[in-house]
Amino acid sequence: MSDIRFDGRVAIVTGAGGGLGRCHALELARRGAKVVINDLGGSLDGNGGNSEAAEAVVKEIEALGGEAIANGSSVSDEAGVKKMIGDTMDKWGRIDIIIANAGILRDKSFAKMTQQDIDLVIDVHLRGSFMPIHEAWNIMKEQEYGRIVVTTSSTGLYGNFGQANYGAAKLGVVGMMNTLKIEGAKNNIKINAVCPIAATRMTEGLMSEEALAALKPEYVTPGVMNLVKDDAPSGMILSAGAGAFSMARIVETEGVFVGHGDDLSAEAVAAKWDQITDVSTTRPAFKSGGEHGQNIFAAVAKGMQG
Ligand code: NAD
């Protein structure tokens, strides 16, 4: 097994003042990267903020003999993000890795959720992933090198009571990834998603002490290092928690041609429902929307022949 190293690489980790982001940043630094520690330092619901959390992680990295700088901008503040990218380029002249990890929660049942609860969560998770990646995109293209991780959640992939705002934002970053893996490919930019589970302030009180003890954020980070290494995959969703890792995929059944013209009606679709939803025909995930379209036409061709 060869060592995974990041010597000479410059990484930005958002929300790196605590929890998972701090662990990712420390591990990148241990493995040779220079790291920008971004953290607004606010409360779990996104209020307040100061740069103390980011500065404390910079000190930890320096104590290990690594190099880091603190950045206290909000990931959803355009001017702050532009400054963070500018400061990184002024200091180190390149940006190789971005781990978009910053996040907040505003959990409420959908009936009680306010527009502000929706806007704030989408702002931090979705726009807050878009903005740093977008600002660094042309830099990565010119370098012909970029490794990006977005942070999704089982709530986005599968759902969770009281988290409609969070789930929408978390699947949103997967949608962004799916297109960026295509747009970045020719310039050696790879982008993946991590779906973590870890004991942090986000999950405290939600699980038993025993479960939380098994869910150290340090047990997620080794998976993330594999998503930003030189020979990283692209477009992958890696689930990671408690030292276990798996791959999540969006899959579709084979598809059934129902008919055209008079043969096609709501009732005709209902008559084929069992076949349409037959999971035993599930195929490997598509690599692009184009491939998905080809699948539809393959089902039509097969149905017309049959
Ligand atoms: P955490 O609260 O410890 O870390 C989130 C960090 O983001 C905090 O340090 C916070 O100050 C920072 N932050 C919040 N808003 C910010 C903003 N606007 N700009 C910059 N920084 C900001 O929680 P965590 O569990 O370490 O979460 C990290 C990421 O992992 C989040 O995106 C979260 O949604 C995701 N996640 C966590 C779990 C889990 O089990 N802990 C599960 C699924 C997804």
Side-chain angles (χ1 to χ4, degrees), residues 13-22 24 38-50 53-54 71-77 81 100-105 120 123-125 128-129 150-155 166 170 194-204 206-207 215 217 220 240:
V13 184
T14 71
L20 287 158
R22 172 182 160 274
H24 303 337
N38 160 270
D39 205 295
L40 179 64
S43 61
L44 185 57
D45 66 0
N47 282 314
N50 64 63
N71 175 279
S73 303
S74 168
V75 284
S76 59
D77 169 37
V81 169
N101 162 85
I104 58 166
L105 289 179
L120 271 173
D123 213 41
V124 174
H125 289 276
S129 297
V150 292
T151 306
T152 184
S153 158
S154 58
T155 299
Y166 180 75
K170 286 308 207 186
V194 63
C195 175
I197 172 160
T200 64
R201 70 177 184 170
M202 241 183 218
T203 45
E204 66 190 7
L206 296 182
M207 283 175 266
L215 289 168
V220 169

Side-chain angles (χ1 to χ4, degrees), residues 27-278:
E27 193 59 19
L28 284 167
R30 274 190 205 103
R31 291 170 181 273
K34 300 176 177 78
V35 192
V36 178
I37 308 296
N38 160 270
D39 205 295
L40 179 64
S43 61
L44 185 57
D45 66 0
N47 282 314
N50 64 63
S51 59
E52 277 170 30
E55 278 155 15
V57 178
V58 168
K59 288 206 175 76
E60 282 187 85
I61 289 175
E62 286 171 348
L64 294 168
E67 278 186 76
I69 52 174
N71 175 279
S73 303
S74 168
V75 284
S76 59
D77 169 37
E78 193 179 350
V81 169
K82 278 187 195 293
K83 185 172 181 321
M84 174 173 75
I85 299 296
D87 288 350
T88 310
M89 289 303 284
D90 289 347
K91 173 93 176 150
W92 289 316
R94 53 187 298 123
I95 297 170
D96 300 289
I97 297 168
I98 295 184
I99 301 181
N101 162 85
I104 58 166
L105 289 179
R106 289 262 173 150
D107 292 1
K108 266 175 213 156
S109 68
F110 198 54
K112 293 193 182 129
M113 198 168 273
T114 64
Q115 195 61 51
Q116 200 199 21
D117 294 327
I118 297 169
D119 290 348
L120 271 173
V121 166
I122 290 192
D123 213 41
V124 174
H125 289 276
L126 189 52
R127 285 186 70 246
S129 297
F130 251 105
M131 270 207 273
I133 296 169
H134 187 247
E135 284 302 316
W137 190 252
N138 283 335
I139 296 168
M140 288 181 165
K141 275 180 79 174
E142 275 164 31
Q143 289 171 177
E144 295 276 330
Y145 191 94
R147 297 290 179 269
I148 300 166
V149 166
V150 292
T151 306
T152 184
S153 158
S154 58
T155 299
L157 299 177
Y158 309 113
N160 200 17
F161 192 93
Q163 293 195 313
N165 51 354
Y166 180 75
K170 286 308 207 186
L171 200 53
V173 298
V174 173
M176 175 178 69
M177 172 193 81
N178 284 335
T179 285
L180 296 190
K181 88 183 170 207
I182 295 168
E183 292 195 16
K186 73 172 188 300
N187 297 106
N188 188 22
I189 301 174
K190 297 183 176 182
I191 175 163
N192 296 289
V194 63
C195 175
I197 172 160
T200 64
R201 70 177 184 170
M202 241 183 218
T203 45
E204 66 190 7
L206 296 182
M207 283 175 266
S208 69
E209 285 294 312
E210 198 187 10
L212 290 173
L215 289 168
K216 292 192 194 335
E218 289 83 354
Y219 296 165
V220 169
T221 295
V224 174
M225 297 301 107
N226 277 273
L227 299 181
V228 294
K229 64 184 179 181
D230 283 354
D231 58 343
S234 199
M236 177 172 172
I237 306 169
L238 181 74
S239 291
F245 302 88
S246 54
M247 183 173 69
R249 299 206 123 180
I250 296 170
V251 293
E252 261 186 61
T253 58
E254 191 177 27
V256 177
F257 177 63
V258 176
H260 286 161
D262 290 345
D263 291 341
L264 180 58
S265 63
E267 291 75 16
V269 172
K272 292 260 167 78
W273 203 255
D274 285 351
Q275 260 178 288
I276 293 166
T277 60
D278 179 0

